[in-house]
Amino acid sequence: MSTTETAPTAAGSGASATEAFRASSGGRAPGQVDHERVSTVVGAVLKGIHQAIRDEEVTYPEFQAAKEYLIEVGEGGEWPLLLDVLVEHVVEEVAARTQTCTKGSILGPYYLPDQARLDTPATLPQRPDEQGTPLVLSGEVRSTDGTPLARAELDMWQADEQGYYSGFAPHLPDGNLRGVVVTDDQGRFEISTIQPAPYQIPTDGPTGGLLEAAGWHPWRPAHLHLMVRAPGHRTVTTQLYFDGGEWLDSDVASATKPELVLKPADRGDGTFTVRYDFTLDPA
Ligand code: MBD
Ligand code: FE
């Protein structure tokens, strides 16, 4: 990675992720507290922590360091990043138990709602000099019974060729490589974009600091994020990866699945094309 002064800092992207989360419906507190549920889940979490302390004979200095660390995560605005990287994949695994649609994957911290709505065939908004291998993703959105879903929405977001997300890196224009692509009357879509680079968790913040302290690498394989929606159907949140890509077998966020790996082919002019169909469960 280059070390120009425009390189986004963890503080910048982490704080923006906290703002974005608070602005989303995901941040809304439930209206009524289910005391029994809170007791059960929080009790189970604490039981796990208590047992880890016993098993590993955690010391007072380690306990105090943990408190200091957690304070830093909050002050740096990195709770969404830390939790999405280390925990979300198991929440997704549980959600997937009731899904028969296209395989899902984690949402992550960099989704932004209300992006440009684009009829298919669409090109994701990008800078005039956007770097990266051109990629055309096409396919169909269908219900699990095979019915094509007209005017389904593919809400897509991705990093650029340097691994940065618009909205979370000050040098990128708002809405860059983000868009909501609408399928045609036969449920088909075609989206032109560029192949993203692998994503590195910012190494200058507390999440990156923890990974470094543990000796774990900070990388996610290159990926496209998608949320696919259609009336009367359950929305699927997923990610698509690239065959042969670095970090595919050691994603720091544990969010890859073999069914989600694309194998784009050069159509002859340096543009890579690939087909991927999505199926949605009826609501
Ligand atoms: C990402 O780009 C991402 O997709 C996830 C899940 C976590 C951190 C950065
Ligand atoms: Fe991502």
Side-chain angles (χ1 to χ4, degrees):
M1 190 190 312
S2 73
T3 49
T4 63
E5 56 283 310
T6 55
T9 60
S13 53
S16 307
T18 292
E19 267 170 52
F21 177 74
R22 283 206 165 125
S24 75
S25 56
R28 214 184 298 130
Q32 250 201 326
V33 177
D34 180 342
H35 300 290
E36 200 176 318
R37 180 71 175 158
V38 173
S39 176
T40 302
V41 175
V42 175
V45 170
L46 288 172
K47 195 173 158 191
I49 294 173
H50 297 161
Q51 199 53 46
I53 293 169
R54 286 189 195 100
D55 290 348
E56 304 305 328
E57 301 189 310
V58 171
T59 65
Y60 262 99
E62 287 169 339
F63 177 57
Q64 302 300 14
K67 276 193 259 178
E68 202 175 301
Y69 177 73
L70 295 176
I71 290 166
E72 275 172 31
V73 173
E75 284 179 350
E78 283 200 18
W79 275 115
L81 179 65
L82 184 78
L83 291 174
D84 293 352
V85 169
L86 299 180
V87 180
E88 189 184 353
H89 68 97
V90 189
V91 182
E92 195 283 322
E93 178 189 310
V94 171
R97 291 177 186 170
T98 61
Q99 294 171 348
T100 61
C101 59
T102 297
K103 294 286 180 198
S105 185
I106 66 179
L107 175 67
Y110 298 140
Y111 174 69
L112 292 173
D114 307 320
Q115 300 302 311
R117 210 180 143 82
L118 310 161
D119 282 326
T120 190
T123 299
L124 289 191
Q126 53 192 264
R127 293 164 287 181
D129 58 346
E130 194 71 44
Q131 301 297 299
T133 304
L135 174 72
V136 180
L137 173 69
S138 61
E140 277 175 31
V141 181
R142 295 187 292 262
S143 190
T144 42
D145 70 1
T147 313
L149 295 172
R151 256 144 301 283
E153 294 178 355
L154 297 106
D155 194 341
M156 194 168 157
W157 67 107
Q158 64 170 93
D160 68 6
E161 205 206 21
Q162 309 230 292
Y164 295 124
Y165 284 90
S166 64
F168 301 91
H171 67 290
L172 293 176
D174 282 349
N176 208 58
L177 298 176
R178 294 175 182 271
V180 181
V181 179
V182 182
T183 61
D184 68 12
D185 54 10
Q186 290 169 81
R188 296 174 301 198
F189 64 88
E190 184 183 295
I191 305 168
S192 295
T193 183
I194 55 111
Q195 288 200 217
Y199 176 86
Q200 185 182 29
I201 307 298
T203 51
D204 56 338
T207 305
L210 174 65
L211 299 174
E212 194 190 342
W216 303 337
H217 79 245
W219 291 95
R220 295 212 63 220
H223 57 279
L224 303 171
H225 289 271
L226 289 126
M227 215 183 279
V228 186
R229 292 185 284 262
H233 289 75
R234 287 172 66 180
T235 297
V236 64
T237 299
T238 193
Q239 300 186 30
L240 296 173
Y241 303 91
F242 297 90
D243 187 54
E246 216 177 348
W247 318 111
L248 203 49
D249 298 320
S250 63
D251 180 7
V252 66
S254 311
T256 64
K257 297 182 185 182
E259 298 87 347
L260 298 176
V261 178
L262 301 173
K263 209 170 184 168
D266 190 340
R267 72 176 178 198
D269 62 355
T271 292
F272 281 67
T273 63
V274 67
R275 188 184 161 103
Y276 199 87
D277 293 340
F278 295 91
T279 57
L280 298 185
D281 286 315

